[in-house]
Amino acid sequence: MDKGDNYEVKDISLAKQGQMNLEIAESNMGALMKVRERFAKELPFKGIRIGLALHVTKETGILVRTLITGGAEVAITGCNPLSTQDDIAASLAEEGVNIWAYKGETNDDYYRYLKNVIEFRPEITIDDGCDLVSEIHKNYEDLIPEIIGGCEETTTGIIRLRAMEKDNALKYPIIAVNDNKTKHLVDNYYGTGQSTVDGIIRATNILFSGKTVVVIGYGDCGKGFALRSKGLGANVIVTEVDNFCALQAAYDGFRVMKMEDAAALGDIFCTLTGNKHVIRTEHINKMKDGAILANSGHFDIEIDVKGLREMSSSERRVRPFLDEYIVNGKKIFLCGEGRLVNLAAAEGHPSEVMSTSFCGQSLACEYLVKNRGNMKNEVILLPEEIDDNISGLQLDAMKICIDELTPEQIEYLNSWQEGT
Ligand SMILES: NC(=O)c1ccc[n+]([C@@H]2O[C@H](COP(=O)([O-])OP(=O)(O)OC[C@H]3O[C@@H](n4cnc5c(N)ncnc54)[C@H](O)[C@@H]3O)[C@@H](O)[C@H]2O)c1
């Protein structure tokens, strides 16, 4: 491990490679660059400390630079032990950012680094999965009065925050960036759809065409992954616990069934639920020889990996992000140790996707500062016009122009008198 006053990273000599990756990311993040240009003039975060626990990827590096351009002091760590890109961590360290992160963190290091970010005394927290907020509430309540608010990136984090809100345990306001329309559409649906396929392919190099892919959970992430798998020629089966989502999967043309029935049919299984143990040992017992298991939900709880380990007679790493378990003489493969496969075995979402997500984070931070002291300790949605502005910024970046309502149309839409 390389250590300095402002960092702990795997290998500082990777900084040059990181700079090149950051350059490529920047060129694909036009919408966020527009926000950065404005921040450079307006300095909305002048003197404000922002603490982040996000996947340390090249796109997050561009968000960090955007916040710093806006005047912020920043400290960052990862939000998952397997998702840090070590070249990016090295680059940010060399740029002087306070950063503690490496790919393959131990549990102790993961929490030690979170502690470093908390001891930086952030006035705004940016989380992906709610670990930072949770640690602050559990162990650093005395710091809470200084905190303006926080932003949360993912569905699992929002679920935890809403549980805190319900228990009256939430002590500062949090913006649910995840719940922006733009975030759900571009990140969870298109982004996770593509990058989950990417992660499974990089881990296994398997051909999707002709395979039976079992998609567990048909929320936004599951829908995106099912669509991309179908596009690659796979036969898709969906399992769900929600009537409405199951109905949509059926009407989208997928077979919908119970997991106990899908278990014997699938070649590739992917969990995208945010829920615990949706693949259990009784399912694994029924699987075919060669079945591949992956998770793209936030935490590594969706597949019962401990159960898999206990039921298998042997275990070995056959490729960098692929473990083979022998269960009743059959091979069962697990991608990325059951951690979110698109970040563990690939690079997460493409930069263009994260551009819209991180426009959401940057504008949410600006909203927190502008509304300081006037927000309740609740999970808050960003106003629709900010979300709409993000769509506009992304359309501009894609050089797409759209029509405007004519005065006659505006009048028509605001009136009730005119009928057939
Ligand atoms: N990999 C990534 O880059 C990435 C990106 C965004 C979100 N996420 C994570 O992915 C997960 C899903 O996010 P989402 O936005 O799609 O959430 P969502 O709430 O829209 O969808 C989850 C779906 O899973 C279903 N489900 C729950 N338990 C189930 C079970 N036992 N069996 C079958 N289905 C079940 C729910 O009914 C729901 O329809 C979350 O953990 C989220 O944080 C990951």
Side-chain angles (χ1 to χ4, degrees):
M1 209 62 55
D2 282 344
K3 297 179 189 181
D5 288 345
N6 63 310
Y7 67 84
E8 192 164 311
V9 299
K10 185 163 275 169
D11 180 358
I12 196 74
S13 73
L14 297 173
K16 199 163 165 224
Q17 177 59 54
Q19 285 300 335
M20 289 189 278
N21 272 326
L22 285 162
E23 211 179 287
I24 294 170
E26 225 162 53
S27 67
N28 286 310
M29 298 179 84
L32 188 59
M33 288 305 110
K34 280 278 174 222
V35 173
R36 190 196 285 180
E37 272 171 35
R38 181 168 66 74
F39 281 0
K41 291 185 209 126
E42 298 176 6
L43 297 179
F45 311 124
K46 198 162 177 220
I48 290 180
R49 292 183 302 277
I50 303 183
L52 303 93
L54 288 183
H55 302 292
V56 180
T57 62
K58 54 191 182 307
E59 294 76 23
T60 301
I62 307 306
L63 171 66
V64 165
R65 286 179 175 176
T66 302
L67 299 173
I68 292 172
T69 304
E73 291 173 44
V74 169
I76 177 167
T77 182
C79 62
N80 184 296
L82 266 191
S83 64
T84 293
Q85 293 166 4
D86 288 317
D87 59 334
I88 301 302
S91 272
L92 294 178
E94 210 174 66
E95 287 180 21
V97 175
N98 301 297
I99 179 159
W100 305 276
Y102 66 91
K103 190 172 179 98
E105 278 164 19
T106 61
N107 211 45
D108 283 353
D109 281 346
Y110 181 81
Y111 281 98
R112 186 162 60 82
Y113 295 165
L114 271 181
K115 189 166 170 255
N116 288 354
V117 171
I118 295 168
E119 287 177 352
F120 171 74
R121 305 180 83 91
E123 294 159 281
I124 293 177
T125 58
I126 302 184
D127 242 326
D128 187 331
C130 190
D131 276 347
L132 188 53
V133 169
S134 165
E135 279 303 294
I136 289 173
H137 279 72
K138 280 192 288 201
N139 300 319
Y140 296 87
E141 261 202 287
D142 54 314
L143 299 184
I144 290 179
E146 292 175 21
I147 300 179
I148 304 168
C151 308
E152 172 54 54
E153 174 75 8
T154 199
T155 311
T156 284
I158 302 296
I159 291 169
R160 294 176 80 188
L161 287 162
R162 291 213 191 277
M164 288 175 80
E165 187 182 60
K166 202 164 148 232
D167 281 354
N168 282 327
L170 189 61
K171 297 285 187 286
Y172 63 85
I174 308 274
I175 297 185
V177 172
N178 175 71
D179 292 356
N180 287 349
K181 280 194 297 191
T182 42
K183 160 69 168 67
H184 258 264
L185 178 76
V186 184
D187 184 310
N188 298 26
Y189 182 60
Y190 291 112
T192 310
Q194 175 170 315
S195 61
T196 300
V197 170
D198 183 19
I200 295 172
I201 290 178
R202 289 203 211 187
T204 60
N205 197 26
I206 194 159
L207 179 72
F208 267 59
S209 189
K211 298 292 183 302
T212 297
V213 173
V214 180
V215 179
I216 300 148
Y218 203 66
D220 278 319
C221 294
K223 283 179 198 138
F225 176 62
L227 181 75
R228 296 297 168 225
S229 299
K230 181 180 172 186
L232 284 172
N235 300 303
V236 174
I237 294 174
V238 171
T239 73
E240 250 299 343
V241 290
D242 178 274
N243 288 336
F244 182 79
C245 296
L247 188 64
Q248 186 174 10
Y251 281 140
D252 282 344
F254 300 123
R255 281 185 291 166
V256 179
M257 61 183 76
K258 282 176 171 286
M259 184 58 198
E260 64 189 56
D261 298 321
L265 305 177
D267 299 300
I268 301 167
F269 295 82
C270 187
T271 55
L272 310 101
T273 69
N275 204 352
K276 192 171 178 180
H277 291 176
V278 290
I279 296 183
R280 299 183 291 276
T281 50
E282 71 257 32
H283 304 134
I284 296 169
N285 259 328
K286 293 186 175 172
M287 287 178 186
K288 293 185 205 170
D289 184 30
I292 292 168
L293 313 187
N295 162 49
S296 206
H298 185 76
F299 285 121
D300 60 339
I301 48 160
E302 305 213 6
I303 301 169
D304 180 5
V305 177
K306 187 165 168 274
L308 170 62
R309 194 159 274 149
E310 283 166 4
M311 76 198 292
S312 64
S313 56
S314 74
E315 165 188 347
R316 61 181 179 146
R317 178 143 301 177
V318 287
R319 283 166 60 92
F321 301 107
L322 193 66
D323 294 332
E324 176 201 84
Y325 292 84
I326 303 295
V327 177
N328 303 329
K330 292 183 289 191
K331 288 179 182 169
I332 304 289
F333 294 100
L334 177 68
C335 301
E337 298 173 17
R339 296 194 184 276
L340 73 184
V341 68
N342 57 340
L343 279 141
E347 294 171 72
H349 302 333
S351 306
E352 188 173 329
V353 169
M354 294 317 294
S355 180
T356 49
S357 305
F358 288 162
C359 280
Q361 290 289 3
S362 319
L363 298 178
C365 289
E366 186 182 36
Y367 181 88
L368 285 173
V369 175
K370 282 188 177 161
N371 292 281
R372 183 181 201 150
N374 296 322
M375 296 161 293
K376 293 194 179 136
N377 296 339
E378 291 174 349
V379 180
I380 300 167
L381 295 182
L382 264 191
E384 281 255 349
E385 58 271 20
I386 297 182
D387 206 356
D388 185 63
N389 180 31
I390 298 172
S391 300
L393 285 166
Q394 184 55 29
L395 284 168
D396 280 351
M398 297 163 84
K399 304 209 180 340
I400 294 173
C401 299
I402 64 166
D403 287 324
E404 281 175 26
L405 291 170
T406 64
E408 184 193 24
Q409 289 166 344
I410 293 173
E411 194 187 325
Y412 175 74
L413 292 173
N414 285 305
S415 67
W416 53 270
Q417 290 90 345
E418 204 178 320
T420 41

